[in-house]
């Protein structure tokens, strides 16, 4: 309907309708029979014709009034559309200029270059940045592609040629290749070429256009990462990386071997499981410290079913946050120090353990006394000397004497408080001390029990050996203020017991000290 209205309001249509109306009126006012016969083969009432003319006149008048208004509206709309498209073209042109400027700025980047190869003419064109990339000036003429191919590193030439062949054969439409090209000063630059082919009107390959990016720094980083990965994989330390949930995402061969040694498998599901597999007693504070402080360092010990050291570990944990990726990881570094701990234990035994009896030696005794002789503690010390031991060595030999000393040590340990320290400080001399408050027995009761047991014979390799003991007793801080005076007081009491007839024990007193000074 709208289309019909627009058609009727066109000036040409209106003119035609007005002409038809005038012609009809003229015919009505000056009737010509011949014309009527020609135009109207049938007769119409004069009133109908007149009514039709009036209606037609009204319609034409209305259309004639509306037509200029419609025309003006259409012109206004066309003008608005023209302004809209003019602004749109202006915006597109401005956008194109900005993009062109961006492209030009990008082309000025020393790491970014452009080249093209016209296959039909075998001519090559290169941007100034392309030339600068290999140490040439922008005025240097480069048109021979063959000469430029000679700059490609010998190990990369085959890959570059295969890339061109795939393009020329139609196997690929895009050209992409990373290779090395020689700089004017002789060194090689890593570049990445990426481009595509263009065809002529006949559909034949006309040229290849490509961009080139200097990726030397990226390749250097890749090489460094590869070296780092190789070093990590072959490192003697066990290394693992976890994600933000402490799930292990990567570990090296050394850590897998450690886990095999510790648990019999290589399961590295998460950091907590990993830590628990390396320690007998779980320490929950490790992960708490790691989360709060960002790192943790320490040692873990794993014991076997007999309580012996199975695996000793030095652990280093660190929280790693990447600003670029906003990601969180944890690093785990493990060093197996089992052999070191065993050597350390062996050296400690050499320094602190008597090799014959397995008891503490003089050095260990002195270290412990230094720590335990405190003002608020009451310490009892006994100095014990075996009677007739020299005769055993002289008659049965030192091997039997050593076995006897070992048996004596074991028997004494059965009779003294659990917290007491027993040490062999000389050939046949033993010293023990303990805190008085931790024993239900008096010092004389303990000394009596030891004396009675050592007066009984020992059976060593079918030999029945009879010995005895002389024991001196001293108390700290009642009778001595330090280790030296305490040891001397007990030694004085022991000599008094021995001179009293052996097989005796004696407590130190000021009277003993006075008698000794008189003697």
């Amino acid at each position: 309907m709208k289309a019909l209205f627009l058609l009727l309001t066109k000036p040409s249509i209106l003119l035609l309708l007005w002409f038809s109306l005038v012609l009809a009126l003229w015919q009505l006012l000056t009737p010509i029979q011949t014309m009527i016969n020609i135009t109207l083969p049938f007769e119409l009432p004069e009133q109908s014709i007149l009514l039709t003319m009036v209606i037609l006149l009204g319609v034409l008048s209305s259309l004639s009034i509306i037509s200029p208004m419609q025309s003006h509206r259409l012109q206004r709309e066309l003008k608005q559309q023209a302004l809209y498209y003019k602004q749109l073209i202006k915006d597109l042109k401005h956008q194109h200029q900005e993009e062109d400027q961006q492209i030009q700025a990008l082309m000025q980047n020393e790491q970014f270059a452009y080249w093209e190869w016209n296959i039909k003419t075998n001519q090559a064109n290169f941007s100034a940045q392309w030339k600068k990339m290999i140490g040439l000036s922008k005025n240097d003429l480069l048109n021979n592609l063959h000469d430029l191919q000679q700059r490609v590193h010998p190990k990369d030439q085959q890959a570059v040629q295969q890339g061109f062949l795939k393009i020329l054969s139609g196997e690929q439409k895009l050209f992409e290749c990373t290779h090395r090209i020689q700089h004017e000063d002789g060194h090689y630059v890593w570049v990445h070429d990426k481009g595509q082919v263009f065809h002529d009107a006949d559909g034949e390959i006309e040229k290849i256009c490509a961009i080139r990016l200097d990726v030397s720094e990226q390749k250097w980083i890749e090489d460094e990462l590869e070296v780092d990965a190789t070093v990590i994989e072959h490192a003697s330390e066990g290394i693992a990386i976890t994600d933000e949930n402490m799930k292990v995402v990567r570990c090296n061969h050394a850590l897998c071997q450690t886990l095999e040694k510790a648990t019999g498998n290589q399961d590295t599901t998460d950091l907590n499981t990993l830590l628990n597999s390396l320690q007998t007693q779980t320490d929950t504070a490790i992960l708490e410290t790691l989360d709060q402080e960002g790192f943790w360092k320490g040692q873990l010990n794993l014991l076997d079913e007999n309580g012996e050291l199975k695996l000793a570990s030095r652990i280093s944990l660190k929280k790693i946050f990447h600003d670029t990726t906003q990601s969180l990881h944890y690093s785990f570094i493990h060093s197996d120090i089992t052999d070191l701990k065993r050597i350390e234990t062996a050296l400690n035994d050499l320094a602190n353990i008597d090799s014959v009896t397995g008891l503490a030696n003089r050095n260990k005794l002195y270290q412990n006394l230094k720590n335990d002789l405190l003002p608020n503690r009451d310490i009892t010390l006994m100095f014990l000397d075996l009677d007739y031991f020299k005769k055993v060595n002289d008659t049965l030999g030192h091997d039997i004497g050593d076995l006897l000393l070992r048996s004596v040590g074991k028997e004494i340990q059965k009779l003294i408080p659990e917290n007491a320290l027993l040490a062999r400080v000389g050939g046949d001399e033993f010293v023990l001390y303990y805190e008085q408050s931790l024993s239900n027995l008096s010092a004389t009761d303990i000394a009596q029990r030891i004396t009675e047991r050592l007066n009984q014979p020992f059976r060593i390799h079918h030999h029945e050996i009879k010995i005895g003991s002389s024991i001196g007793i001293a108390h700290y801080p009642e009778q001595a203020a330090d280790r030296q005076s305490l040891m001397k007081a007990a030694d004085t009491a022991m000599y008094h017991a021995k001179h009293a007839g052996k097989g005796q024990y004696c407590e130190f007193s000021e009277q003993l000290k006075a008698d000794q000074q008189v003697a």
Side-chain angles (χ1 to χ4, degrees):
M1 194 68 182
K2 184 178 179 181
L4 178 60
F5 177 75
L6 292 174
L7 177 63
L8 292 176
T9 56
K10 286 186 176 181
S12 57
I13 300 299
L14 287 174
L15 183 61
L16 180 60
L17 291 174
W18 276 110
F19 178 77
S20 301
L21 179 62
V22 172
L23 183 62
L25 288 173
W26 177 74
Q27 182 179 0
L28 180 63
L29 297 175
T30 58
I32 302 174
Q33 186 63 36
T34 305
M35 292 293 295
I36 294 174
N37 292 336
I38 293 173
T39 58
L40 295 172
F42 52 89
E43 292 186 4
L44 291 172
E46 188 172 320
Q47 295 83 358
S48 298
I49 294 174
L50 182 59
L51 179 61
T52 302
M53 292 299 129
V54 172
I55 294 173
L56 183 59
L57 179 61
V59 171
L60 287 174
S61 299
S62 300
L63 291 175
S64 298
I65 294 172
I66 295 174
S67 178
M69 297 174 60
Q70 181 69 18
S71 176
H72 179 72
R73 186 179 64 81
L74 290 175
Q75 288 178 359
R76 187 172 65 251
E77 290 180 356
L78 289 174
K79 187 176 181 180
Q80 291 176 349
Q81 290 181 1
L83 291 174
Y84 169 75
Y85 286 114
K86 184 178 180 180
Q87 183 63 38
L88 181 61
I89 292 173
K90 184 178 179 180
D91 293 340
L92 290 174
K93 185 177 180 180
H94 180 70
Q95 182 180 355
H96 173 73
Q97 289 176 347
E98 289 183 346
E99 291 177 351
D100 185 64
Q101 290 175 357
Q102 291 175 354
I103 293 174
Q104 292 299 324
L106 185 61
M107 294 296 291
Q108 296 301 318
N109 192 316
E110 294 184 359
Q111 291 185 324
F112 186 82
Y114 170 83
W115 63 268
E116 65 177 35
W117 173 35
N118 191 311
I119 298 174
K120 291 186 175 181
T121 62
N122 197 27
Q123 295 295 312
N125 296 316
F126 308 91
S127 67
Q129 282 70 31
W130 193 101
K131 297 177 183 180
K132 188 176 182 180
M133 195 177 291
I134 59 173
L136 299 174
S137 68
K138 63 180 180 179
N139 297 324
D140 290 333
L141 297 178
L142 292 173
N143 294 320
N144 192 322
L145 188 64
H146 177 72
D147 291 341
L148 294 175
Q149 287 177 337
Q150 300 303 312
R151 289 179 177 268
V152 178
H153 194 282
K155 293 183 178 180
D156 299 333
Q157 288 184 2
Q158 184 177 0
V160 175
Q161 292 173 359
Q162 288 179 350
F164 279 118
L165 289 175
K166 290 180 179 180
I167 287 288
L168 297 176
S169 64
E171 183 179 346
Q172 292 182 354
K173 293 183 179 181
L174 297 178
F175 174 77
E176 190 167 4
C177 182
T178 302
H179 59 282
R180 287 161 287 184
I181 188 167
Q182 192 174 35
H183 193 274
E184 276 294 288
D185 63 11
H187 81 279
Y188 282 90
V189 179
W190 276 100
V191 297
H192 179 77
D193 287 344
K194 188 171 185 178
Q196 69 178 65
V197 297
F198 290 86
H199 299 80
D200 58 17
D202 298 328
E204 296 182 355
I205 297 178
E206 182 179 11
K207 61 181 179 180
I208 299 175
C209 297
I211 57 174
R212 169 167 289 183
L213 185 66
D214 186 343
V215 294
S216 299
E217 185 175 355
Q218 178 182 342
K219 291 296 293 185
W220 179 83
I221 294 174
E222 289 177 357
D223 291 342
E224 289 294 310
L225 290 175
E226 184 177 353
V227 171
D228 292 344
T230 302
V231 171
I232 290 174
E233 181 60 28
H234 293 87
S236 58
E237 291 82 6
I239 301 174
I241 301 295
T242 77
D243 60 16
E244 60 182 359
N245 298 317
M246 296 189 179
K247 299 292 183 181
V248 176
V249 296
R250 191 179 309 153
C251 65
N252 66 349
H253 181 65
L255 183 58
C256 292
Q257 287 185 319
T258 299
L259 294 174
E260 183 72 25
K261 176 181 178 182
T263 64
N265 60 64
Q266 299 180 2
D267 185 14
T268 57
T269 54
D270 57 66
L271 188 57
N272 187 50
T273 302
L274 185 56
L275 290 172
N276 289 340
S277 66
L278 301 175
Q279 55 185 331
T280 301
Q281 294 182 345
T282 302
D283 186 355
T284 57
I286 295 177
L287 294 182
E288 293 178 3
T289 303
L290 174 63
D291 184 60
Q292 295 173 3
E293 300 183 9
F295 67 92
W296 182 87
K297 291 183 179 181
Q299 294 185 12
L300 302 178
N301 293 323
L302 181 67
L303 306 180
D304 59 19
E305 58 276 6
N306 299 320
E308 300 293 332
L309 182 64
K310 181 179 182 180
L311 178 66
S313 307
R314 182 182 291 117
I315 304 298
S316 177
L317 302 173
K318 187 172 182 62
K319 181 191 291 187
I320 304 171
F321 182 76
H322 300 271
D323 290 331
T324 304
T325 60
Q326 295 292 297
S327 60
L328 178 64
H329 291 81
Y330 296 91
S331 66
F332 171 93
I333 301 178
H334 170 272
S335 298
D336 186 345
I337 58 172
T338 307
D339 292 339
L340 181 63
K341 291 292 288 185
R342 286 172 177 166
I343 292 173
E344 181 181 326
T345 301
L347 292 175
N348 182 70
D349 289 345
L350 288 175
N352 299 298
I353 303 300
D354 176 56
S355 59
V356 175
T357 62
L359 302 174
N361 61 11
R362 184 188 298 271
N363 182 61
K364 180 69 172 178
L365 174 68
Y366 288 173
Q367 289 181 7
N368 284 29
L369 278 174
K370 181 179 180 181
N371 296 327
D372 290 340
L373 294 182
L374 301 175
N376 58 342
R377 301 181 70 179
D378 295 327
I379 301 296
T380 294
L381 185 140
M382 299 185 184
F383 203 113
L384 184 149
D385 182 83
L386 297 183
D387 299 328
Y388 312 114
F389 180 76
K390 184 177 182 303
K391 182 178 179 181
V392 175
N393 274 340
D394 293 340
T395 57
L396 300 178
H398 289 279
D399 291 340
I400 299 297
D402 289 346
L403 293 175
L404 176 60
L405 290 173
R406 192 175 305 163
S407 297
V408 168
K410 290 180 180 180
E411 292 300 320
I412 294 175
Q413 284 184 312
K414 296 177 182 179
L415 303 174
I416 61 179
E418 293 184 2
N419 63 309
L421 175 70
L422 176 64
R424 177 179 175 235
V425 296
D428 60 355
E429 295 176 337
F430 294 82
V431 173
L432 67 95
Y433 79 91
Y434 60 93
E435 189 173 357
Q436 296 174 16
S437 61
L438 299 179
S439 175
N440 295 324
L441 298 176
S442 65
T444 54
D445 290 337
I446 296 173
Q448 179 63 35
R449 294 171 64 180
I450 295 174
T451 301
E452 291 176 355
R453 172 61 190 92
L454 296 186
N455 282 337
Q456 298 176 10
F458 287 82
R459 191 165 186 82
I460 308 293
H461 285 188
H462 308 294
H463 298 286
E464 188 175 272
I465 304 174
K466 292 183 179 181
I467 58 173
S469 63
S470 299
I471 303 175
I473 306 171
H475 303 284
Y476 169 91
E478 299 173 21
Q479 300 162 343
D482 52 37
R483 173 181 61 82
Q484 290 86 352
S485 58
L486 181 63
M487 291 278 293
K488 185 172 183 179
D491 184 62
T492 299
M494 182 272 294
Y495 273 105
H496 183 81
K498 186 176 287 288
H499 290 302
K502 298 183 181 182
Q504 304 288 328
Y505 59 88
C506 177
E507 284 190 282
F508 179 79
S509 65
E510 291 299 326
Q511 183 62 43
L512 286 179
K513 183 177 180 180
D515 293 344
Q516 186 179 31
Q517 290 176 348
V518 172

